[in-house]
Amino acid sequence: MSFTKTAVSVLAVAAVSATAAAARDQVQVAGSSTVLPYASIVAEAFGENFEFPTPVVESGGSSAGLRRFCEGVGENTIDIANASRAIRSGEIEACAANGVDDIIEVRIGYDGIVFASQQTGPAFTAFEPADLFNALGAKVLVDGALVDNPHTQWADFNADLPAVNIAAFIPGTNHGTREVFEEQVIAAGCEATGAFQAMMDAGMSEDDAEDACLAVRADGVAVDITGDYTETLARIDSNPEGVGVFGLSFYENNTDVLKVATMGGVAPSTETIASGEYPVSRPLFFYIKGAHIGVIPGLKEYASFFVSNDIAGPFGPLADYGLVSDPELEAVQQAIENEVDMTAN
Amino acid sequence: MTDATAETPRRGSGMGSLMASDDHTAKRNAREKRFRMYGLVAVCTGILMLVLLLTSILTAGLSAFRQTTIEISVTLDADRLDPEGNRDPADMGKVTTFGYAPLLRDGLIGTIEGAGIETDLGARDVADLISDESVAQLRSFVLANPDVVGQTIPVEVLASGRIDGFFKGRVTYETAELDKNISPAQLRLAEDLKAADLLRTGFNWRFITAPDASTTRPEAAGLGVAILGSLYMMLVVLCLALPIGVAASIYLEEFAPQNRITDLIEVNISNLAAVPSIVFGILGLAIFINFAGLPQSAPIVGGLVLTLMTLPTIIIATRASLKSVPPSIRDAALGIGASKMQSVFHHVLPLAMPGILTGTIIGLAQALGETAPLLLIGMVAFVREYPEAPWDGGLFDPATALPVQVYNFTQRSDPAFVERASGAIIVLLVFLLIMNLTAIFLRRRFERRW
């Protein structure tokens, strides 16, 4: 039968080419979906300007990326993990257990987190962390008493805010952004409104009170978005009263449909985030597998190119897209140059 | 039987005429009419949904097949592009795209002045009219043709995503007012360029052939790598699933004894056909990548995973079409002295072939639209390099697939990617349509009835 012959020969060819294609010649990157756009901009420019092939960049989230990073050393593991948070000590241990004990940490810059609503919707122009805690916290302080969140409208607790129903679209717990949102907005609001003190006074331990602060109300007012910012945008699009959490770069690409609110009186921009005035931001990282440098062609060159002044500097394409350039970029460049192993000390 | 005829007059009105409709018949007819109505409503709902889906995809996606370009003349400054002065591409390669950007910007400004268009925009704002991709295009063109250095050449560059969107009606003066990435003054300049016939909108071949592009260059993003990746995977699926599936079905249907073991196998095959595809992805990651050491993001792994997924479909379809070949044909062959194998390969299989092919094509179409298993084996990725040809080990090079590209596009922040995603869906639908039409054609053309 002719198709049997074809199949056998195809299998043979495949087996031969398997040995031929054993050496991987392109860098493989995986991890945070927040870092993905930056990484793809750099990968594209890297492919254009160097003899090396364009790196392959996957998303999938910081945790998933770091887990794959720690799977071991070898050509069928990734070379770089992107992360929107620093690597955890547990992850470093997991890495070490699989033989990945030479990790170079690279901080590429900062990313702002902004609160935005429909361009033509109600006037959500200024928020304080306290407003968001009052709107979204599970237990809030009303008239000096700690109660289950009774607020249905923004104006219920702050007369300056529009008298419309509360509807907030916040990042799901699978996102690194959720952590920043909780720690820098909700926790801050908890303390500012006095709810934290009230919880402590009620006999809670400090840890319990902190956890209770971070609990978000579960009555459907706060909606977890497990997808990307595009999903948040679609929700805002269909709900004029909705308020959503976005990355600064995403907002800057959609200013025609979104309007941003100030936080603590400061409007988010790359400048205010760089200066530290705008309170909600976080560093972005990627981690290089030291053992792959010199084995995978172009790995170190890609990393150096990523944090070069042309790319990650304040006037480079990453800053144009919304990344807040790292003021200590030179130190980062040095760290890559010297292949500083973060696990060494 | 005789009871029925005896009972009929008792149930009716007693008159017994077949011409006059009695209560019972009227009720029966009404019931039938109602049932037909339900059926019609169901069909109409289905058609309505399909029309809604198609219109929303077509209205959003057809514009992806058109692309705005700007023609500018660029002076390729020799001092800047070839500092060594030897026209050696190796030395000229040291000048990065950052070195080419000012040339293109000056070229655009010169072209605008040359056309007698007045604008009070700054150089940076004018440069925003053209895509970042054009710098890379210019650089690779110059490196491929070092002789052009020092000359002034006309180049056709992509307009930036916002300008492109303006001529497709996605961006307007009102939205530009609020948009940080474009201003009404830039749109007016674009209109002037169009009036001077320097800016044109034409068919977008790049969308089908070019590789993916990063978030900042929606205008340059294409499906080239994704189409190749899908094609490679289908090749693997066809080469593996068809022979394995047909061999397994022939054995089970024609040779295997009917006992508990074959029953068990049969149940398991039907079960496998209903297993969620993500499970095959987990399996693929564990076996093909972690155990067998095959590379990540490679079409060979995707193809193997999709083979596992498609096999049950092909086996079920093949067994059904083998079953439908009448036993008299087997008996006749055996009766004139053919061996069991001869009767199968000379008589049964050729007659069952149209059914087998139809089943295979439908299985392939299903595999073509699959995303979930590819997520785990690293094919949901940003890939810009075309894989090599299959005989050069291309099956082991990283690639994406069409449905994955749709997913990737929908995650990007630039609104222009909405159009690209819908465009990619249209391409995917066209492929599926072609495959399904082929299946119908094969069935019509070769099917035998007994």
Side-chain angles (χ1 to χ4, degrees), chain A residues 35-43 45 108-110 249 252 270 284 286 305-325 329, chain B residues 98 214 216:
Chain A
V35 183
L36 174 73
Y38 303 113
S40 62
I41 291 170
V42 179
I108 59 168
Y110 294 84
S249 57
E252 296 221 311
T270 45
L284 301 177
F286 66 83
F305 184 66
F306 203 128
V307 292
S308 66
N309 292 332
D310 275 346
I311 294 285
F315 305 104
L318 298 188
D320 277 351
Y321 185 67
L323 182 75
V324 180
S325 184
L329 200 57
Chain B
F98 299 102
S214 73
T216 49

Side-chain angles (χ1 to χ4, degrees), chain A residues 269-282:
Chain A
S269 69
T270 45
E271 291 83 21
T272 55
I273 292 166
S275 68
E277 287 168 76
Y278 185 79
V280 199
S281 70
R282 40 98 184 257

Side-chain angles (χ1 to χ4, degrees), chain B residues 254 322-338 340 343-344 347-348 351 448-450:
Chain B
E254 304 286 339
L322 286 174
K323 253 192 207 117
S324 72
V325 176
S328 58
I329 289 179
R330 291 184 188 84
D331 295 344
L334 294 174
I336 55 168
K340 182 89 182 166
S343 86
V344 169
H347 302 280
V348 180
L351 291 171
R448 288 272 201 96
R449 288 179 189 281
W450 291 281

Side-chain angles (χ1 to χ4, degrees), chain B residues 236-267:
Chain B
V236 175
V237 175
L238 191 68
C239 291
L240 292 178
L242 187 61
I244 297 177
V246 171
S249 329
I250 291 177
Y251 180 76
L252 283 175
E253 199 57 41
E254 304 286 339
F255 296 97
Q258 280 294 321
N259 57 25
R260 267 164 187 270
I261 298 174
T262 43
D263 281 351
L264 194 72
I265 291 175
E266 199 165 324
V267 169

